[in-house]
């Protein structure tokens, strides 16, 4: 989300609302919301602890490494061990106009690419 802050104002000016969806429970997210507020982020942070949203977007996967299961259960409050693949979607009127999905969580979408895609589909 740090790189998104670089283009956040540009996206807002293009008419976009920024929404981040986390696999964490609402209780866990309340701490992150406070952090985001203190850093000046202006996006909405939502919980998908049930993983239903991730499943519907086709980005859900079950964490196979049991070493992470306890941590996932603590953060989500669930025992399904499902995580979303890191993804970015531009959605307008319920239609996905652009998507970036990369199972390698270390590789993130460059803000310039997102901004260019957003400009093409703006308003």
């Amino acid at each position: 989300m740090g790189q998104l802050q670089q283009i956040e104002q540009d996206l807002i000016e293009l008419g976009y609302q920024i929404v981040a969806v986390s696999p964490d429970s609402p209780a866990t997210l309340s701490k992150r919301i406070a952090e985001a507020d203190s850093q000046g982020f202006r996006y909405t942070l939502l919980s998908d602890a049930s993983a239903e949203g991730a499943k519907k977007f086709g980005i859900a996967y079950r964490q196979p490494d049991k070493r992470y299961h306890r941590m996932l259960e603590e953060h989500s409050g669930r025992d399904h061990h499902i995580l979303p693949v890191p993804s970015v979607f531009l959605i307008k009127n319920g239609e996905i106009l652009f998507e970036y999905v990369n199972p390698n969580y270390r590789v993130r979408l460059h803000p310039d690419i997102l901004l260019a895609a957003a400009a093409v589909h703006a308003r």
Side-chain angles (χ1 to χ4, degrees):
M1 295 302 295
Q3 286 186 322
L4 182 59
Q5 193 172 21
Q6 298 170 16
I7 62 168
E8 182 178 31
Q9 186 58 42
D10 295 320
L11 292 171
I12 292 168
E13 289 173 8
L14 287 169
Y16 290 96
Q17 176 186 6
I18 301 168
V19 178
V21 182
S22 170
D24 292 342
S25 70
T28 302
L29 280 184
S30 66
K31 296 172 193 165
R32 292 210 175 134
I33 290 170
E35 290 172 15
D37 287 346
S38 71
Q39 294 176 8
F41 289 110
R42 296 189 328 225
Y43 59 86
T44 302
L45 186 55
L46 302 175
S47 171
D48 183 30
S50 69
E52 291 304 312
K55 290 175 190 175
K56 289 182 180 178
F57 274 93
I59 58 170
Y61 74 96
R62 189 172 313 282
Q63 173 54 262
D65 192 336
K66 292 184 180 189
R67 293 177 297 175
Y68 296 103
H69 286 187
R70 187 168 145 238
M71 179 188 66
L72 292 173
E73 290 171 11
E74 288 173 6
H75 284 265
S76 72
R78 308 291 178 102
D79 63 359
H80 52 57
H81 309 128
I82 294 175
L83 285 170
V85 173
S87 309
V88 175
F89 297 92
L90 287 177
I91 302 171
K92 186 175 186 177
N93 298 325
E95 179 184 359
I96 297 173
L97 304 173
F98 172 86
E99 66 183 275
Y100 175 83
V101 180
N102 191 332
N104 183 348
Y105 69 91
R106 293 183 179 118
V107 179
R108 300 296 178 147
L109 177 63
H110 193 281
D112 292 342
I113 295 171
L114 177 58
L115 189 56
V120 167
H121 297 291
R123 301 191 207 272

